[in-house]
Amino acid sequence: MIEIAAKGQQTWQQHHQYGKRSGSETAMQRYKRTFGNQLHAREMSNQEIEVMIACGVLNRFTSLGMPQSYKSV
């Protein structure tokens, strides 16, 4: 709180890379909402594969929902 008061909230967020943390928290929220709070595989190697596949699916969902943008002349 003292640092935020001294430097300002925006400077504090940039110094502590708050945006990256917020982005990762949002990604985990999306993951849990889509696939649930638990992994289904029992072994660690299989859990790693499960997470990689799920992340690929999330990335595909994101790319499908992104608008097609182009530079206007």
Side-chain angles (χ1 to χ4, degrees), residues 10-21:
Q10 190 170 18
T11 304
W12 178 85
Q13 287 180 354
Q14 289 173 348
H15 182 260
H16 290 279
Q17 297 179 340
Y18 188 79
K20 288 184 180 180
R21 176 179 166 195

Side-chain angles (χ1 to χ4, degrees), residues 48-62:
E48 291 173 358
I49 294 169
E50 180 181 348
V51 169
M52 293 297 290
I53 291 171
C55 288
V57 169
L58 277 179
N59 289 337
R60 179 65 58 103
F61 286 167
T62 302

Side-chain angles (χ1 to χ4, degrees), residues 1 3 6-7 11 14 25 50 52-53 57 69-71:
M1 291 298 275
E3 186 179 357
K7 296 181 178 180
T11 304
Q14 289 173 348
E25 288 175 357
E50 180 181 348
M52 293 297 290
I53 291 171
V57 169
S69 59
Y70 54 91
K71 187 175 182 179

Side-chain angles (χ1 to χ4, degrees), residues 26-27 30-31 34-35 54-68:
T26 303
R30 286 176 51 223
Y31 182 94
T34 306
F35 300 108
C55 288
V57 169
L58 277 179
N59 289 337
R60 179 65 58 103
F61 286 167
T62 302
S63 67
L64 290 173
M66 296 293 280
Q68 296 293 324

